[in-house]
Amino acid sequence: MGQYVVSPATHPTDCGRFRASFSVQRQRGNGSYCSVFRFDKTFASPNAARVFAVTQGWLQASMPHPPVC
């Protein structure tokens, strides 16, 4: 996504649902940036969790000044 690498992931829960997460990576000159975002919300399928993670990753990467958690 432009100058960022966004990697979505899904994780099964103990109750059979799925959680979403994504990482955002950027390398610029001699420095690099990497953040991992995990969500508490659960989803019925891994595909639903992946769509959520991709959407959230796109929003994070497209913001001119993303918030720092």
Side-chain angles (χ1 to χ4, degrees):
M1 294 183 181
Q3 55 188 306
Y4 296 95
V5 175
V6 177
S7 303
T10 62
H11 312 278
T13 64
D14 293 337
C15 65
R17 292 182 61 87
F18 298 87
R19 292 191 191 276
S21 68
F22 71 91
S23 66
V24 176
Q25 301 167 10
R26 177 182 178 188
Q27 192 162 4
R28 180 185 235 177
N30 291 335
S32 64
Y33 164 89
C34 181
S35 290
V36 176
F37 297 83
R38 294 181 182 95
F39 302 97
D40 291 333
K41 182 179 176 87
T42 61
F43 300 88
S45 71
N47 287 338
R50 184 174 312 281
V51 166
F52 182 81
V54 167
T55 302
Q56 294 300 313
W58 178 81
L59 289 170
Q60 180 72 20
S62 66
M63 295 176 78
H65 301 289
V68 178
C69 298

